[in-house]
mmCIF file of all heavy atoms in Angstrom:
data_model
loop_
_atom_site.group_PDB
_atom_site.id
_atom_site.type_symbol
_atom_site.label_atom_id
_atom_site.label_comp_id
_atom_site.label_asym_id
_atom_site.label_seq_id
_atom_site.Cartn_x
_atom_site.Cartn_y
_atom_site.Cartn_z
ATOM 1 N N LEU T 219 124.421 111.526 156.112
ATOM 2 C CA LEU T 219 123.621 110.876 154.991
ATOM 3 C C LEU T 219 123.833 109.369 154.997
ATOM 4 O O LEU T 219 124.950 108.886 155.072
ATOM 5 C CB LEU T 219 124.135 111.464 153.666
ATOM 6 C CG LEU T 219 123.866 112.925 153.477
ATOM 7 C CD1 LEU T 219 124.461 113.375 152.095
ATOM 8 C CD2 LEU T 219 122.410 113.292 153.578
ATOM 9 N N PRO T 220 122.737 108.652 154.955
ATOM 10 C CA PRO T 220 122.816 107.185 154.890
ATOM 11 C C PRO T 220 123.415 106.753 153.474
ATOM 12 O O PRO T 220 123.336 107.550 152.545
ATOM 13 C CB PRO T 220 121.406 106.663 155.028
ATOM 14 C CG PRO T 220 120.524 107.869 154.620
ATOM 15 C CD PRO T 220 121.313 109.123 154.902
ATOM 16 N N VAL T 221 123.865 105.531 153.365
ATOM 17 C CA VAL T 221 124.290 105.049 152.061
ATOM 18 C C VAL T 221 123.065 104.832 151.242
ATOM 19 O O VAL T 221 121.951 104.655 151.713
ATOM 20 C CB VAL T 221 125.091 103.718 152.189
ATOM 21 C CG1 VAL T 221 126.417 104.017 152.853
ATOM 22 C CG2 VAL T 221 124.343 102.635 152.949
ATOM 23 N N GLY T 222 123.317 104.814 149.893
ATOM 24 C CA GLY T 222 122.199 104.506 148.955
ATOM 25 C C GLY T 222 121.463 105.675 148.471
ATOM 26 O O GLY T 222 120.385 105.513 147.863
ATOM 27 N N ILE T 223 121.880 106.898 148.810
ATOM 28 C CA ILE T 223 121.173 108.103 148.301
ATOM 29 C C ILE T 223 121.508 108.257 146.790
ATOM 30 O O ILE T 223 122.677 108.248 146.406
ATOM 31 C CB ILE T 223 121.639 109.396 149.046
ATOM 32 C CG1 ILE T 223 121.357 109.275 150.539
ATOM 33 C CG2 ILE T 223 120.995 110.634 148.461
ATOM 34 C CD1 ILE T 223 119.918 109.412 150.910
ATOM 35 N N ASP T 224 120.496 108.418 145.959
ATOM 36 C CA ASP T 224 120.753 108.591 144.534
ATOM 37 C C ASP T 224 121.035 110.066 144.173
ATOM 38 O O ASP T 224 121.784 110.376 143.258
ATOM 39 C CB ASP T 224 119.529 108.155 143.688
ATOM 40 C CG ASP T 224 119.243 106.658 143.865
ATOM 41 O OD1 ASP T 224 120.235 105.872 143.748
ATOM 42 O OD2 ASP T 224 118.105 106.317 144.196
ATOM 43 N N ARG T 225 120.404 110.949 144.942
ATOM 44 C CA ARG T 225 120.445 112.347 144.537
ATOM 45 C C ARG T 225 120.262 113.236 145.745
ATOM 46 O O ARG T 225 119.426 112.923 146.611
ATOM 47 C CB ARG T 225 119.404 112.644 143.440
ATOM 48 C CG ARG T 225 119.876 113.745 142.502
ATOM 49 C CD ARG T 225 118.889 113.823 141.322
ATOM 50 N NE ARG T 225 118.874 112.626 140.473
ATOM 51 C CZ ARG T 225 119.822 112.469 139.470
ATOM 52 N NH1 ARG T 225 120.747 113.372 139.235
ATOM 53 N NH2 ARG T 225 119.756 111.370 138.734
ATOM 54 N N LEU T 226 120.936 114.414 145.730
ATOM 55 C CA LEU T 226 120.655 115.410 146.751
ATOM 56 C C LEU T 226 119.654 116.396 146.159
ATOM 57 O O LEU T 226 119.757 116.634 144.933
ATOM 58 C CB LEU T 226 121.984 116.140 147.114
ATOM 59 C CG LEU T 226 123.152 115.321 147.600
ATOM 60 C CD1 LEU T 226 124.397 116.155 147.670
ATOM 61 C CD2 LEU T 226 122.826 114.730 148.983
ATOM 62 N N VAL T 227 118.821 116.938 146.934
ATOM 63 C CA VAL T 227 117.875 117.898 146.402
ATOM 64 C C VAL T 227 117.805 119.125 147.348
ATOM 65 O O VAL T 227 117.826 118.955 148.561
ATOM 66 C CB VAL T 227 116.433 117.294 146.298
ATOM 67 C CG1 VAL T 227 115.450 118.365 145.734
ATOM 68 C CG2 VAL T 227 116.458 116.097 145.333
ATOM 69 N N GLY T 228 117.727 120.296 146.724
ATOM 70 C CA GLY T 228 117.616 121.515 147.518
ATOM 71 C C GLY T 228 116.665 122.469 146.846
ATOM 72 O O GLY T 228 116.281 122.282 145.740
ATOM 73 N N SER T 229 116.321 123.528 147.593
ATOM 74 C CA SER T 229 115.484 124.574 147.043
ATOM 75 C C SER T 229 116.332 125.499 146.168
ATOM 76 O O SER T 229 117.370 125.960 146.621
ATOM 77 C CB SER T 229 114.816 125.387 148.134
ATOM 78 O OG SER T 229 113.795 124.731 148.736
ATOM 79 N N HIS T 230 115.884 125.715 144.974
ATOM 80 C CA HIS T 230 116.605 126.589 144.052
ATOM 81 C C HIS T 230 116.653 127.979 144.611
ATOM 82 O O HIS T 230 115.674 128.490 145.145
ATOM 83 C CB HIS T 230 115.898 126.590 142.715
ATOM 84 C CG HIS T 230 116.586 127.450 141.646
ATOM 85 N ND1 HIS T 230 117.956 127.508 141.551
ATOM 86 C CD2 HIS T 230 116.093 128.261 140.729
ATOM 87 C CE1 HIS T 230 118.283 128.291 140.509
ATOM 88 N NE2 HIS T 230 117.177 128.781 140.029
ATOM 89 N N GLY T 231 117.842 128.646 144.590
ATOM 90 C CA GLY T 231 118.022 129.940 145.154
ATOM 91 C C GLY T 231 118.798 129.877 146.378
ATOM 92 O O GLY T 231 120.032 129.678 146.345
ATOM 93 N N GLN T 232 118.148 129.872 147.540
ATOM 94 C CA GLN T 232 118.816 129.899 148.834
ATOM 95 C C GLN T 232 119.804 128.778 148.983
ATOM 96 O O GLN T 232 120.928 128.973 149.564
ATOM 97 C CB GLN T 232 117.775 129.860 149.947
ATOM 98 C CG GLN T 232 118.413 129.707 151.334
ATOM 99 C CD GLN T 232 117.413 129.747 152.398
ATOM 100 O OE1 GLN T 232 116.991 130.813 152.872
ATOM 101 N NE2 GLN T 232 117.028 128.582 152.892
ATOM 102 N N ASP T 233 119.468 127.541 148.544
ATOM 103 C CA ASP T 233 120.332 126.395 148.933
ATOM 104 C C ASP T 233 121.208 125.863 147.800
ATOM 105 O O ASP T 233 121.832 124.793 147.975
ATOM 106 C CB ASP T 233 119.430 125.314 149.565
ATOM 107 C CG ASP T 233 118.847 125.778 150.846
ATOM 108 O OD1 ASP T 233 119.527 126.542 151.585
ATOM 109 O OD2 ASP T 233 117.735 125.369 151.141
ATOM 110 N N ASP T 234 121.276 126.578 146.696
ATOM 111 C CA ASP T 234 122.115 126.139 145.573
ATOM 112 C C ASP T 234 123.554 125.831 146.066
ATOM 113 O O ASP T 234 124.131 124.789 145.757
ATOM 114 C CB ASP T 234 122.169 127.211 144.454
ATOM 115 C CG ASP T 234 120.833 127.304 143.690
ATOM 116 O OD1 ASP T 234 119.972 126.442 143.889
ATOM 117 O OD2 ASP T 234 120.655 128.330 143.058
ATOM 118 N N ALA T 235 124.130 126.808 146.782
ATOM 119 C CA ALA T 235 125.548 126.649 147.204
ATOM 120 C C ALA T 235 125.698 125.489 148.150
ATOM 121 O O ALA T 235 126.645 124.728 148.004
ATOM 122 C CB ALA T 235 125.946 127.954 147.831
ATOM 123 N N LEU T 236 124.740 125.353 149.055
ATOM 124 C CA LEU T 236 124.860 124.294 150.084
ATOM 125 C C LEU T 236 124.791 122.933 149.401
ATOM 126 O O LEU T 236 125.643 122.055 149.682
ATOM 127 C CB LEU T 236 123.765 124.413 151.104
ATOM 128 C CG LEU T 236 123.817 123.430 152.276
ATOM 129 C CD1 LEU T 236 125.038 123.687 153.148
ATOM 130 C CD2 LEU T 236 122.602 123.527 153.153
ATOM 131 N N VAL T 237 123.844 122.734 148.516
ATOM 132 C CA VAL T 237 123.660 121.480 147.848
ATOM 133 C C VAL T 237 124.888 121.137 146.962
ATOM 134 O O VAL T 237 125.395 120.025 146.968
ATOM 135 C CB VAL T 237 122.399 121.426 147.004
ATOM 136 C CG1 VAL T 237 122.193 120.016 146.406
ATOM 137 C CG2 VAL T 237 121.141 121.757 147.857
ATOM 138 N N SER T 238 125.409 122.182 146.298
ATOM 139 C CA SER T 238 126.598 121.966 145.462
ATOM 140 C C SER T 238 127.772 121.538 146.331
ATOM 141 O O SER T 238 128.545 120.653 145.959
ATOM 142 C CB SER T 238 127.005 123.254 144.728
ATOM 143 O OG SER T 238 125.934 123.949 144.283
ATOM 144 N N ALA T 239 127.927 122.168 147.483
ATOM 145 C CA ALA T 239 129.058 121.832 148.336
ATOM 146 C C ALA T 239 128.947 120.405 148.874
ATOM 147 O O ALA T 239 129.961 119.675 148.893
ATOM 148 C CB ALA T 239 129.119 122.822 149.474
ATOM 149 N N VAL T 240 127.740 120.006 149.231
ATOM 150 C CA VAL T 240 127.586 118.618 149.686
ATOM 151 C C VAL T 240 127.811 117.629 148.579
ATOM 152 O O VAL T 240 128.380 116.560 148.778
ATOM 153 C CB VAL T 240 126.170 118.406 150.357
ATOM 154 C CG1 VAL T 240 126.011 116.976 150.849
ATOM 155 C CG2 VAL T 240 125.915 119.355 151.508
ATOM 156 N N ALA T 241 127.395 118.042 147.381
ATOM 157 C CA ALA T 241 127.617 117.157 146.204
ATOM 158 C C ALA T 241 129.130 116.944 145.967
ATOM 159 O O ALA T 241 129.622 115.884 145.693
ATOM 160 C CB ALA T 241 126.959 117.742 144.976
ATOM 161 N N LEU T 242 129.847 118.085 146.030
ATOM 162 C CA LEU T 242 131.334 118.028 145.860
ATOM 163 C C LEU T 242 131.967 117.151 146.961
ATOM 164 O O LEU T 242 132.929 116.390 146.699
ATOM 165 C CB LEU T 242 131.935 119.429 145.958
ATOM 166 C CG LEU T 242 131.864 120.267 144.672
ATOM 167 C CD1 LEU T 242 132.315 121.728 144.952
ATOM 168 C CD2 LEU T 242 132.762 119.647 143.597
ATOM 169 N N HIS T 243 131.460 117.239 148.153
ATOM 170 C CA HIS T 243 132.021 116.595 149.262
ATOM 171 C C HIS T 243 131.766 115.064 149.197
ATOM 172 O O HIS T 243 132.562 114.222 149.655
ATOM 173 C CB HIS T 243 131.525 117.088 150.584
ATOM 174 C CG HIS T 243 132.401 116.778 151.707
ATOM 175 N ND1 HIS T 243 133.543 117.540 152.099
ATOM 176 C CD2 HIS T 243 132.332 115.744 152.599
ATOM 177 C CE1 HIS T 243 134.113 116.966 153.101
ATOM 178 N NE2 HIS T 243 133.435 115.865 153.468
ATOM 179 N N THR T 244 130.546 114.670 148.669
ATOM 180 C CA THR T 244 130.160 113.265 148.730
ATOM 181 C C THR T 244 130.313 112.616 147.353
ATOM 182 O O THR T 244 130.352 111.355 147.314
ATOM 183 C CB THR T 244 128.680 113.123 149.139
ATOM 184 O OG1 THR T 244 127.910 113.919 148.201
ATOM 185 C CG2 THR T 244 128.439 113.645 150.552
ATOM 186 N N GLY T 245 130.270 113.375 146.323
ATOM 187 C CA GLY T 245 130.273 112.780 144.969
ATOM 188 C C GLY T 245 128.831 112.401 144.536
ATOM 189 O O GLY T 245 128.636 111.736 143.496
#
Side-chain angles (χ1 to χ4, degrees):
Chain T
L219 298 178
V221 291
I223 301 285
D224 297 311
R225 212 170 292 278
L226 304 169
V227 180
S229 285
H230 182 39
Q232 172 177 278
D233 293 327
D234 290 345
L236 185 65
V237 183
S238 320
V240 179
L242 279 171
H243 200 85
T244 56

